[in-house]
Amino acid sequence: MALALRASTSTSSSAPSLTQLRRRGAATVAVYSGMPRRPVFRVVAAAAAVATPTPGRHPPLALPPTPTSVADAMSRVRAKGKTAFIPYITAGDPDLATTADALRLLDGLGADVIELGMPFSDPSADGAVIQASAKRALAAGATTDAVMAMLKEVTPELSCPVVIFSYFNPIVRRGTASFATAAKAAGVKGLIIPDLPYDEIRAFRKEAIKNNLELILLTTPATPADRMKEITKASEGFVYLVSVVGVTGARATVNPRVEDLLKEIRQVTDKAVAVGFGISTPEHVSKIAEWGADGVIIGSAMVKQLGEAASSREGLKRLEVYARSLKDALP
C-alpha cells in the first residue's frame, strides 16, 4: 500500500485560495486545506502502487473529476452504506472570494453535495442566522450575476455537485430561462426553490430539464400523505425532508417525528432522502443517520461559522473544524 502526497505552497501574505486536488477512488489524493504559510495536508492511502516518475520530470497534476448529477452522487454514497454530508453556505457572506474558498474547503473535507444559498432580501423560509447572512451578502455586492461568475470559476475544481438554494423571486427577476441557462453554464447541478408551490413547478421544470438541472423538492411534517407521494415522485436528485414546521435555524434536539416520516417516505419511493432544518450538532447528524436518512443537511450552524467570525481567515478555520466534526459523526 503506497502513500501519495503532493505539496502546494503559498508565498502570498494574503489568504490564498484553498486549492484542492482530489481524485476519489483513484490512486492519489492530495488536499490543501490550510491558511497562509501554514499548509495542512491529508494523506490518503493509495489503492495501487504509484508509478515512478521519469527522473528530472514532474508527474502531471491530477485534476478532480467533473461532478456528476446529484442523484449519482447520492447513489454512490448509498452504495457504500454511508450517509451523505450536505453542508449549506450563503453565497457572498462575508464576500464571494471567501465563498469560493469555503466551497473548495468543504469539497476537500468530503462533502457529497454542497448547497449554496442565493442571497435574497426576503428569505421567508429562513431563520435569523441565514436572514442576517443574506443581508450581509447583498450589502457586499453578491448579485446573481456575481455568484454565477464565481461558480463558473470554482465548480471545475470540485469533485462534488453544487446545488443552488434560491427563492423564486430572484429567478423570476432574472428570467426563468436565463437563470437556468446561467446556472448550467456555472456548473450547477441542481436547484432547490423553497417558496415555489408544487402546483406551479411544471413551467419551471421545463427550463430545468433543458439545462440538466435536477429540481429537488421539499416535504415537511405538515405535508398531507397524498401530496407527499406526489412530491417524492417528482423530486430529482433526492427528496428534501424538512424536519420541522417552521423556518431554518439550530434546535436543541431533532424532531422525533423524523424517524416515522422517513419510514413513510420509504413506503412510496426508493429515492435518496436527505433531512434538513434545525440540525447543528454531531449528535443530531448521528441520530438522523441512525434513523435511516440517506443524507444530512446542515445550514444555519454552518453559515454562522463563516458569517459571524472576526475575519474571513478565522471563519474558514472555524468552518473547517465544525464541518469536520459533523462529517466524522456520520457513518
Side-chain angles (χ1 to χ4, degrees):
M1 184 73 72
L3 293 178
L5 173 65
R6 182 170 294 122
S8 174
T9 59
S10 172
T11 58
S12 171
S13 60
S14 60
S17 296
L18 302 180
T19 306
Q20 54 80 33
L21 296 169
R22 309 177 63 223
R23 294 180 59 197
R24 287 182 179 173
T28 63
V29 180
V31 180
Y32 169 55
S33 60
M35 295 297 117
R37 303 183 188 279
R38 296 181 61 188
V40 178
F41 295 95
R42 282 194 293 126
V43 184
V44 180
V50 179
T52 303
T54 302
R57 301 184 66 180
H58 296 289
L61 293 177
L63 296 176
T66 302
T68 56
S69 68
V70 177
D72 286 344
M74 297 297 290
S75 293
R76 286 198 302 270
V77 176
R78 295 175 81 183
K80 297 175 183 176
K82 303 288 187 179
T83 304
F85 174 48
I86 309 176
Y88 168 105
I89 58 174
T90 302
D93 181 28
D95 54 63
L96 285 171
T98 303
T99 300
D101 284 345
L103 290 171
R104 298 181 182 108
L105 173 61
L106 292 169
D107 183 61
L109 289 172
D112 298 289
V113 178
I114 299 176
E115 285 186 25
L116 184 67
M118 186 70 72
F120 177 50
S121 58
D122 185 23
S124 56
D126 290 306
V129 171
I130 294 181
Q131 286 184 19
S133 176
K135 185 175 181 179
R136 289 191 297 267
L138 291 171
T143 64
T144 299
D145 285 345
V147 172
M148 295 298 190
M150 179 274 296
L151 283 171
K152 189 172 184 178
E153 179 180 341
V154 174
T155 53
E157 303 174 30
L158 308 180
S159 60
C160 71
V162 172
V163 171
I164 285 181
F165 184 109
S166 175
Y167 290 89
F168 199 44
N169 185 281
I171 296 174
V172 172
R173 284 205 311 258
R174 172 71 179 259
T176 55
S178 176
F179 187 96
T181 301
K184 178 183 179 181
V188 173
K189 299 300 181 180
L191 294 171
I192 299 171
I193 310 173
D195 61 340
L196 180 61
Y198 173 71
D199 293 331
E200 299 176 23
I201 68 170
R202 185 169 300 173
F204 184 70
R205 181 185 291 281
K206 293 178 181 178
E207 298 300 335
I209 291 172
K210 286 180 187 176
N211 292 281
N212 297 318
L213 298 171
E214 292 161 291
L215 197 55
I216 298 164
L217 306 182
L218 296 83
T219 183
T220 78
T223 303
D226 289 346
R227 177 52 59 91
M228 181 268 287
K229 187 175 181 179
E230 294 175 9
I231 289 171
T232 57
K233 182 178 180 180
S235 189
E236 299 167 314
F238 60 83
V239 177
Y240 194 135
L241 173 57
V242 176
S243 70
V244 294
V245 176
V247 298
T248 61
R251 268 77 167 178
T253 59
V254 179
N255 181 2
R257 277 204 62 202
V258 168
E259 183 175 14
D260 290 334
L261 290 169
L262 284 166
K263 293 177 181 177
E264 291 173 18
I265 294 173
R266 295 289 184 217
Q267 292 175 0
V268 298
T269 186
D270 60 357
K271 294 176 182 177
V273 183
V275 179
F277 281 52
I279 300 165
S280 60
T281 70
E283 292 74 23
H284 290 172
V285 301
S286 179
K287 176 60 68 176
I288 290 171
E290 179 185 320
W291 287 340
D294 300 300
V296 180
I297 303 163
I298 307 94
S300 296
M302 199 74 65
V303 167
K304 195 170 184 178
Q305 308 306 315
L306 278 175
E308 298 184 7
S311 66
S312 295
R313 180 176 177 177
E314 179 189 330
L316 290 166
K317 287 182 178 179
R318 286 176 52 174
L319 181 69
E320 179 171 9
V321 172
Y322 178 67
R324 193 184 300 278
S325 72
L326 298 179
K327 174 68 174 176
D328 289 347
L330 289 170

